[in-house]
Amino acid sequence: MPPAYRRIAASIRARIEAGELAPGDRLAPIRALADELGVHRDTVSQAYETLRAQGLVESGVGRGTFVAPSLGVRAAPTAPAASLAFAPTTEELLAFDAGRPRFPSVALGGAPDAEPSRRVESGTAPREIVALHKLVPDPALYPAAAFRRALHEVLGETGPELLLYGGAQGHVGLREAIARRLAAAGAPDARADDVVLCHGASQGIALALRVFASAGDAVAVEVPTYANVLATLVALGVRAEPVPMQREGTGAAPDLDALDRALARPDVRAFYTIPTFHNPLGTSTDLAHRRALVGIAARHGKPVIEDAFEMDLRYEGGPVPSLAAVDDAGLVVQLLSFSKSLFPGVRAGAIAARGRVVDALVALKHATDLSDSLPLQAALARLLESGAYDRHLAKLRRELRARRDAMLAALERHMPEGTTWTRPSGGYQLWVDLPREPHAIDARDLLADAAREGVLFAPGSEFAPGRPPSGGLRLTVAQAGPAAIERGIAALARVVRAHQGEDRAARQSAAVQL
């Protein structure tokens, strides 16, 4: 089944081609159509962007969206590498799973529509989309040749043994290599037997949550937090207990008093946290805060799930010991991933834990998928052992720092007064808070106009339970180099200023009418 936004776009296109909608006709406002169809505004916005990329509709800030005077349809692109597609929202997924009809006035059948264009028009001059919303590493930075050599070597040396089912805990050579890296990072007691391999940190999150919580329980989470954690909690029937992130300068950390109150509740079974290069904020906590956090968890006897998905991507400042490294009570379960430091296609991650938790994780892993790909895990182990991984990291860190510096400079140069942002010391992402004057802006309201200007971002509402309005947004340097980042931030600044101006004009008009 094609995504919801493509089905909406296909239905509107069919009405245009059938003459039900004539050139110049105005389409329903995004909010109104979203309410009618029972979907999020982002979904309708994507559908309109798809139609705009095909030349079927036109729009402008404050005017709305209209059927184009000329109905010539552009050819579908052959390489939609930077499409406008976002993942469906949690609400949409749950609605389809429950079989509830969500599109009462839009036909759902028909062939899937063409992917959105790689270009978005602004006036008559097309511009490349600057994808500042994606947290997927730039393929140009993948060490493909080194990985290919490692895979060839391990298959040649081991042969058919790697083509059998593996144990649920994963390839022992990779577990040993990971344990050595954890020990070097400040966890001297790390052992291969304490490591369970999995399909990236995402599967690790699901396994850890299932070990500690059941339907009806609650898990404390930072707000904002990683969007997929919220979706996983919903899928498991587990409630998210918010722990606000306290902002200070360019940094942020979870409120320890709020965490203490949350973990004191018997229904809160664990705390999920990202202390290093937080997603979406990009911030990292200091050692004193980490020790205090682990102390609170130990006092309540509650486990901590530490997501260290970007732990290898520090490019500024000295390393800070992980929560696992300062945990004397054995309560921290650490999640690791190679999806951001290498490439997502390897689907390799790990969970480091202790004692009976390891046994529970192995049992769940076996029940979930028996085992992972031994050839890929063996090749990854060879990459780590040979030094190729660390050589790749050195290059990647330099590139990420250059991109981070370009983004900070562009934000300083272009964004309107009152905008603030975090300053990450590693990883791909940072957080921007939009000005509150002359009025607070919900970042979701900027999405369509930003796409028309040639830039995409992730609105802050995606990273909080219930998706409330948010004046924050996440930007990443994963897909864009310095020159593209400059263009993207300049475009974003234009959109923010346009929305500020619209509000000022509306207030002046209202005052005149009064």
Side-chain angles (χ1 to χ4, degrees):
M1 178 181 292
Y5 79 92
R6 288 172 60 183
R7 283 175 281 156
I8 296 171
S11 178
I12 296 173
R13 174 176 178 149
R15 294 179 63 195
I16 293 173
E17 293 174 344
E20 297 177 24
L21 291 172
D25 282 356
R26 182 172 182 171
L27 301 187
I30 288 174
R31 293 190 185 188
L33 185 56
D35 290 341
E36 178 188 357
L37 303 182
V39 299
H40 194 274
R41 285 175 293 170
D42 297 355
T43 303
V44 177
S45 176
Q46 290 171 252
Y48 282 10
E49 286 300 323
T50 300
L51 296 166
R52 187 176 299 108
Q54 295 166 355
L56 294 173
V57 301
E58 296 178 349
S59 60
V61 176
R63 295 193 305 115
T65 302
F66 300 82
V67 178
S70 173
L71 294 181
V73 180
R74 297 185 184 94
T78 57
S83 75
L84 305 183
F86 289 86
T89 66
T90 302
E91 292 88 345
E92 289 168 3
L93 289 172
L94 292 178
F96 283 119
D97 288 343
R100 296 196 300 272
R102 302 291 285 182
F103 303 96
S105 62
V106 177
L108 299 181
D113 202 358
E115 289 288 343
S117 172
R118 294 181 65 226
R119 296 177 183 270
V120 174
E121 288 195 348
S122 176
T124 58
R127 64 177 74 239
E128 293 289 339
I129 284 288
V130 181
L132 302 183
H133 66 301
K134 288 187 176 181
L135 195 49
V136 179
D138 187 345
L141 305 178
Y142 295 172
F147 189 77
R148 182 172 59 249
R149 286 193 298 271
L151 184 59
H152 179 76
E153 289 172 4
V154 296
L155 285 174
E157 294 170 8
T158 309
E161 294 180 17
L162 287 180
L163 305 180
L164 300 170
Y165 284 116
Q169 196 161 355
H171 187 270
V172 64
L174 181 55
R175 290 191 284 114
E176 290 173 343
I178 289 173
R180 286 193 291 270
R181 297 185 74 86
L182 291 175
D189 297 332
R191 304 177 306 149
D193 287 344
D194 296 332
V195 176
V196 180
L197 302 183
C198 54
H199 296 305
S202 295
Q203 187 187 43
I205 290 169
L207 293 174
L209 291 174
R210 289 175 63 189
V211 165
F212 298 124
S214 302
D217 292 334
V219 168
V221 298
E222 297 159 336
V223 176
T225 191
Y226 177 39
N228 278 0
V229 167
L230 300 176
T232 301
L233 289 172
V234 171
L236 295 175
V238 176
R239 290 175 289 107
E241 177 63 26
V243 175
M245 295 291 285
Q246 291 183 318
R247 294 287 303 277
E248 183 175 347
T250 59
D255 184 330
L256 293 180
D257 290 335
L259 176 64
D260 196 2
R261 291 191 297 270
L263 295 186
R265 289 173 39 185
D267 60 320
V268 176
R269 303 297 189 182
F271 176 46
Y272 169 85
T273 179
I274 314 173
T276 304
F277 315 139
H278 185 276
N279 183 18
L281 299 179
T283 55
S284 298
T285 58
D286 60 27
L287 180 57
H289 189 281
R290 296 181 186 212
R291 292 189 185 280
L293 188 155
V294 170
I296 291 171
R299 186 166 67 253
H300 293 288
K302 300 290 178 70
V304 175
I305 304 171
E306 177 186 17
D307 194 337
F309 76 115
E310 288 182 341
M311 67 173 291
D312 286 341
L313 300 183
R314 178 176 292 278
Y315 45 71
E316 183 177 86
V320 181
S322 65
L323 298 181
V326 300
D327 171 32
D328 295 327
L331 292 173
V332 175
V333 173
Q334 191 175 38
L335 307 176
L336 312 168
S337 175
F338 292 96
S339 296
K340 303 300 184 287
S341 57
L342 282 173
F343 35 77
V346 72
R347 303 313 301 135
I351 316 171
R354 301 187 212 177
R356 291 185 298 173
V357 175
V358 176
D359 297 333
L361 289 168
V362 173
L364 272 177
K365 184 71 170 67
H366 183 271
T368 301
D369 59 10
L370 294 181
S371 67
D372 296 328
S373 168
L374 285 180
L376 293 181
Q377 291 181 349
L380 183 53
R382 178 61 55 89
L383 206 68
L384 269 63
E385 294 163 353
S386 68
Y389 178 66
D390 287 307
R391 290 191 293 273
H392 162 69
L393 284 179
K395 296 177 182 178
L396 180 59
R397 290 166 180 153
R398 287 195 296 271
E399 178 64 22
L400 291 182
R401 179 162 187 163
R403 294 184 180 192
R404 188 280 314 259
D405 290 346
M407 181 167 283
L408 293 178
L411 289 167
E412 185 69 37
R413 190 158 39 244
H414 297 293
M415 294 300 288
E417 184 178 356
T419 309
T420 60
W421 51 85
T422 60
R423 179 188 173 92
S425 54
Y428 292 93
Q429 63 280 345
L430 62 76
W431 182 266
V432 174
D433 280 311
L434 299 173
R436 295 184 177 275
E437 297 296 336
H439 73 302
I441 298 174
D442 185 347
R444 289 175 294 194
D445 293 339
L446 307 181
L447 281 171
D449 293 333
R452 283 190 291 275
E453 286 292 319
V455 62
L456 298 177
F457 63 86
S461 55
E462 299 290 334
F463 306 99
R467 300 165 58 87
S470 171
L473 55 94
R474 188 193 70 183
L475 301 177
T476 77
V477 299
Q479 294 280 315
I485 288 170
E486 173 73 18
R487 294 198 310 274
I489 298 301
L492 178 62
R494 289 195 297 271
V495 172
V496 173
R497 286 193 172 91
H499 277 252
Q500 289 178 318
E502 285 178 0
D503 179 76
R504 188 178 295 110
R507 291 188 181 193
Q508 291 172 349
S509 175
V512 169
Q513 293 175 7
L514 290 174

